[in-house]
Amino acid sequence: MLCLGIESTAHTFGVSLVDKGKIHSEERDSYTTESGGIIPRELAEHHTGVCVDLVEKAMVKKPDLVAFSQGPGIGHALRIGAVAARTVSLNCDVPLIGVNHCIAHLEIARRLTKLDDPIMLYVSGGNTQVIGFESGRYRVFGETLDIGVGNLLDAFGRSAGIGFPAGPEIERLARGGKYIEMPYSVKGMDVSFTGMLTKARALLKRHKLRDICFSLQETAFAMLVEVSERAVAHTGKEQLVLTGGVGANSRLQEMCRIMCEERGAEFGAVEKRYAVDNAAMIAHTGLVMYRSGCRTQNTAIKQRWRTDEVEVTWR
Ligand code: AMP
Ligand code: MG
């Protein structure tokens, strides 16, 4: 069974054709800026500009199913993906299935790392969650109380004159930096980043950018590893998977790996291409869901669709 997946929750519009064991095509185009963050109107123009071409390129064969990112995400972006998906589904006369974007990150991570029942640290621009499967749902054990860790990096980058996305540039700048104390904000199993953002912005006038980048990374990542370790310990799941765009950061990978080694847990990081937003994960998850009997009645987008609202019938 061939499934065409469409991803469009935020900066990336992606289309991919997948069957059980193989990715047949994988096309994507991401919105970027030289300075400043995502402007929703420009983002919508980007997605409408690229969507037809990407669908045509990726649809190397006629699909049997169309899966799309139904949420959570930016309204304008989600709507364009949903319209594209409905159009293909009508044209090819095949069913349409709505996929939760966060769950798609999880499923592709399980598939690629071959870790079957991990705790997942999912760190992207908009999302920061520590997730694990318990009693038929992906439970969120801990999450950000305000902004995602990627958003912390991008918002700081904006103030420092770095374009979007700022994470890779901050990683590069952080090498060889010295530590400046930052607000370390873990509340139970949750984390908060806005205090650190305020502090980092204030430091820009008096400190080297290199030192602020280093300190941001060390503090934010230590908070994430602390919460992840507690989730691993409490659930007894001796596996950790790191994914989402910030999961591409080699320092965060190293910190997770050290924590796992110290407690004898397995660690897997998803390769960058499939850690960032991509359509192969949507197609893969749509396929797994459809096979287990899931059907989507209402294809309206869900901007605030939570990971733990989805009943997981395929595990
Ligand atoms: P996603 O929404 O999953 O595609 O992730 C996008 C986020 O990942 C953006 O906030 C980027 O700044 C961030 N990001 C990408 N690469 C890196 C990196 N090497 N280090 C830290 N953050 C990164
Ligand atoms: Mg994502």
Side-chain angles (χ1 to χ4, degrees), residues 11 105 124-125 150 153-154 165-168 171 244-246 248-249 272 275-277:
H11 44 76
H105 272 295
S124 69
L153 300 173
D154 295 333
E171 175 171 17
V246 186
N249 187 288
K272 177 151 190 195
V276 298
D277 290 352

Side-chain angles (χ1 to χ4, degrees), residues 27-73:
E27 300 290 332
R28 63 179 87 181
D29 198 302
S30 296
Y31 167 87
T32 57
T33 69
E34 293 287 317
S35 64
I38 293 180
I39 299 161
R41 180 180 45 76
E42 284 184 8
L43 178 68
E45 279 168 13
H46 170 268
H47 286 2
T48 35
V50 300
C51 71
V52 174
D53 193 38
L54 292 178
V55 169
E56 279 176 356
K57 274 199 194 128
M59 218 160 70
V60 289
K61 288 181 195 163
K62 181 183 172 293
D64 307 297
L65 174 70
V66 178
F68 73 106
S69 255
Q70 199 169 3

